[in-house]
Amino acid sequence: GAVVSQHPSWVICKSGTSVKIECRSLDFQATTMFWYRQFPKQSLMLMATSNEGSKATYEQGVEKDKFLINHASLTLSTLTVTSAHPEDSSFYICSARGGLAGVGTDTQYFGPGTRLTVL
Amino acid sequence: AQTVTQSQPEMSVQEAETVTLSCTYDTSENNYYLFWYKQPPSRQMILVIRQEAYKQQNATENRFSVNFQKAAKSFSLKISDSQLGDTAMYFCALGGGADGLTFGKGTHLIIQP
């Protein structure tokens, strides 16, 4: 139980284009989803927190107009990197927090990540 | 602001040995959760163990156990009878509930055959 998927697993795009990454909770409804970024050989840094039907809350230093987050349902959140540049190349990981019986609300379950390369 | 510190960038032990990974943290919250996540080369984050701060009893999960010292803000992970499959990056994390997690820099654990 508590499986989170991400799509795509990797993407290569040209500078200036936009890329959308999907995060889905497959067997539970997620009240909250989180987006993290991980540079090579570094730790995970929280980018934003999203609740279904609400605007995302961004961490300090994260450009909300560049990293658009939509949390349209209790099982789907999307991150769109707009006008991507090479410095946006990174590993993006989502997590989902359960809110219903059988899945603890205090634990985040992570997707497998998306490797973004901007040329 | 919350902080998590892992002071061991890399550790190496022989298979079947016991190893302890250290973690210290700082928070002004009274109610919080602590986690250890494992990240193998696939980069999938896997929950190893979690501890609720208001519980005094240390959490255990099979070969994995923690030593939670709330006053000292310390949260170490002990792996008993280490196996080759335990080789991975291990991240200590603080937060939980509605909050995003704050991660330490990680410890690269290598289990030697």
Side-chain angles (χ1 to χ4, degrees), chain A residues 36 38 43 97 106-108 110, chain B residues 35 37 39 50 97 101 104:
Chain A
Y36 296 83
Q38 185 179 31
S43 188
R97 166 179 166 256
D106 54 11
T107 299
Q108 293 180 29
F110 284 83
Chain B
F35 306 87
Y37 283 92
Q39 187 180 43
R50 72 182 187 192
L101 297 175

Side-chain angles (χ1 to χ4, degrees), chain A residues 34 36 38-39 42-44 46 49 91 93 97 105-108 110-112 115, chain B residues 33 35 37 39 43-45 47 50 52 91 96-101 103-105:
Chain A
F34 305 87
Y36 296 83
Q38 185 179 31
F39 288 107
Q42 293 189 23
S43 188
L44 282 74
L46 179 67
T49 300
F91 192 65
I93 310 175
R97 166 179 166 256
T105 60
D106 54 11
T107 299
Q108 293 180 29
F110 284 83
R115 182 183 302 279
Chain B
Y33 299 87
F35 306 87
Y37 283 92
Q39 187 180 43
R43 303 190 77 173
Q44 169 74 60
M45 295 290 284
L47 177 66
R50 72 182 187 192
E52 296 161 57
F91 291 99
D99 299 326
L101 297 175
F103 286 88
K105 291 187 176 182

Side-chain angles (χ1 to χ4, degrees), chain A residues 32-37 44-51 55-67 69 79 108, chain B residues 1-2 94 98-103:
Chain A
T32 308
M33 288 184 169
F34 305 87
W35 289 94
Y36 296 83
R37 186 172 181 176
L44 282 74
M45 296 294 293
L46 179 67
M47 297 176 66
T49 300
S50 74
N51 291 290
K55 287 186 177 180
T57 301
Y58 292 82
E59 295 299 299
Q60 191 172 7
V62 178
E63 299 175 59
K64 62 180 181 181
D65 294 330
K66 180 168 196 55
F67 298 100
I69 293 172
L79 169 68
Q108 293 180 29
Chain B
Q2 298 180 325
L94 167 67
D99 299 326
L101 297 175
T102 300
F103 286 88

Side-chain angles (χ1 to χ4, degrees), chain A residues 48-97:
Chain A
T49 300
S50 74
N51 291 290
E52 184 262 341
S54 302
K55 287 186 177 180
T57 301
Y58 292 82
E59 295 299 299
Q60 191 172 7
V62 178
E63 299 175 59
K64 62 180 181 181
D65 294 330
K66 180 168 196 55
F67 298 100
L68 301 178
I69 293 172
N70 185 284
H71 194 158
S73 75
L74 285 172
T75 60
L76 172 65
S77 176
T78 60
L79 169 68
T80 301
V81 183
T82 62
S83 186
H85 288 95
E87 57 265 31
D88 299 324
S89 298
S90 188
F91 192 65
Y92 293 87
I93 310 175
C94 74
S95 70
R97 166 179 166 256

